[in-house]
Amino acid sequence: MATAAERTAMRRAITLAARGLGATSPNPVVGCVILDAAGEQAGEGFHQRAGGPHAEVHALRAAGERARGGTALVTLEPCNHTGRTGPCAQALVEAGVSRVVYAVSDPNPQATGGADTLRAAGVQVEQGVLADEAETGNTAWLTSVRLGRPYVLWKYAATLDGRIAAADATSRWITSPEARADVHRLRAEADAVVVGSGTARADDPQLGVRGVEGAVQPLRVVVDTGATAVRPGARVLDGSAPTLIAVADDAEAGHLPEDAVLRLPRAAAGPGLGIGALLAALHTRGVRSVLLEGGPTLAGAFVAAGAVDTVVGYLAPVLLGAGPAALADAGISTISQALRLDVTETVRIGPDLRITAVPVPARKGN
């Protein structure tokens, strides 16, 4: 059983792992803390960027010889394969650690098996310590591995009566500067930010991260089926971050930069592109987490496709009484078909309220 000191070290490792959000894909975020043979912290580290040293390597370098005979606390099972970096399980063996405690087993078939390698080398292994906390911190990557598509967080900002704009289409600004700054944090943690043609046409968004130190700019994606919303000179084409304009296979897109055009099949039913095809194309490009920012038509298509994993709503203490709602047609025609959500967090952001919720798993037989 993990000691109190080991559980404290694991919490520290979970905190460290979060520093890598938005910078490690297609790899997970991982944190590691090394305790020496006396149980004192000797080193720590986290996976900082894709292609760079993994968390265990950073922590072992910091610990030096104090790692020998010590314990490694890792948020994810140490990897067992050689990619752009070597296997972490072997690095821990060579460093002479006597015990490894990890939170979550690695579901990636290419990397799993690190625990078996450690045990075969005589290292004591314990798993499952603070697993729920570690899984929450790595939910985007774990979801992408388990489902074979990027994790999708749908964010919207609305009034208390659910309007995202007034009847005359004005929408700046419903929420406060504090809430808008918080959205930039979400962008910084995502691999890609996705909007639809309506948002591109109405707002000409730039979609970059501002005000977050050290942030890696996410891939900017505009779903513009007919290739009519994004025109030359659009802010999303400013070159400050990579951009994809997703258009239909048969759309005329000669006015767009060729390397920015992503051609996809149209949806089998209804307007727009196939959401599954879009997510598959992004996954192939190493995208493991998507921040879906709008608008209501695109959000409805994602919900209808069962492709929303988390909802974050910023609600402002404002009433409009008319104007577009946050969610358009999602293929739900009766209350029994409603997508039920479990609220996991409510936080005041300035004068606004941020609500985070996840879909409730459907009961078997329903």
Side-chain angles (χ1 to χ4, degrees):
M1 293 291 291
T3 65
E6 288 173 347
R7 293 176 71 85
T8 297
M10 183 65 82
R11 288 193 178 90
R12 174 60 180 166
I14 292 170
T15 299
L16 288 168
R19 295 184 182 179
L21 285 169
T24 65
S25 285
N27 300 329
V29 293
V30 182
C32 179
V33 172
I34 305 292
L35 302 180
D36 64 18
E40 299 295 326
Q41 182 168 327
E44 64 179 30
F46 66 98
H47 186 35
Q48 299 176 13
R49 60 179 178 82
H54 289 186
E56 296 92 327
V57 173
H58 283 297
L60 288 170
R61 287 174 179 172
E65 281 302 311
R66 292 178 65 192
R68 191 163 300 277
T71 299
L73 291 302
V74 194
T75 56
L76 185 69
E77 178 185 0
C79 67
N80 198 44
H81 79 299
T82 300
R84 284 183 283 183
T85 61
C88 293
Q90 189 59 39
L92 290 164
V93 170
E94 293 174 357
V97 299
S98 61
R99 176 170 160 79
V100 172
V101 179
Y102 66 89
V104 179
S105 296
D106 194 334
N108 183 354
Q110 294 181 324
T112 192
D116 292 338
T117 295
L118 291 165
R119 291 190 183 98
V123 178
Q124 183 184 8
V125 178
E126 181 177 347
Q127 69 181 71
V129 176
L130 301 184
D132 289 346
E133 294 178 33
E135 177 140 353
T136 297
N138 213 11
T139 187
W141 182 82
L142 290 168
T143 297
S144 73
V145 172
R146 291 165 180 164
L147 299 183
R149 63 154 175 83
Y151 159 90
V152 177
L153 185 155
W154 171 41
K155 160 264 163 186
Y156 70 92
T159 62
L160 280 185
D161 55 341
R163 308 296 178 175
I164 61 168
D168 66 355
T170 55
S171 61
R172 296 186 178 183
W173 294 101
I174 288 175
T175 53
S176 64
E178 293 91 339
R180 298 197 296 275
D182 196 61
V183 170
H184 282 277
R185 176 188 60 83
L186 293 182
R187 286 183 181 178
E189 294 177 355
D191 297 333
V193 178
V194 178
V195 299
S197 58
T199 299
R201 191 175 287 111
D203 298 339
D204 187 24
Q206 195 265 348
L207 299 180
V209 177
R210 297 185 295 277
V212 180
E213 185 177 354
V216 175
Q217 293 294 334
L219 173 68
R220 302 175 294 184
V221 182
V222 179
V223 180
D224 186 9
T225 305
T228 59
V230 179
R231 309 304 300 176
R235 297 175 68 211
V236 78
L237 298 175
D238 64 6
S240 64
T243 301
L244 284 178
I245 312 300
V247 306
D249 284 332
D250 57 355
E252 173 52 56
H255 59 286
L256 296 172
E258 186 176 352
D259 60 354
V261 174
L262 171 63
R263 292 191 174 276
L264 295 171
R266 292 179 181 269
L273 303 176
I275 299 303
L278 171 64
L279 291 175
L282 294 178
H283 193 267
T284 298
R285 286 164 169 75
V287 172
R288 297 296 179 262
S289 60
V290 163
L291 176 61
L292 176 63
E293 289 205 27
T297 300
L298 187 61
F302 269 78
V303 171
V308 171
D309 302 297
T310 300
V311 179
V312 175
Y314 294 86
L315 300 183
V318 176
L319 298 176
L320 283 174
L327 185 66
D329 182 18
I332 299 169
S333 59
T334 181
I335 194 68
S336 63
Q337 298 173 343
L339 178 61
R340 302 288 178 175
L341 304 174
D342 178 23
V343 174
T344 59
E345 184 185 52
T346 57
V347 179
R348 284 287 297 270
I349 306 288
D352 305 318
L353 182 66
R354 185 186 71 205
I355 299 177
T356 303
V358 297
V360 175
R363 295 179 181 178
K364 291 183 179 180
N366 284 4

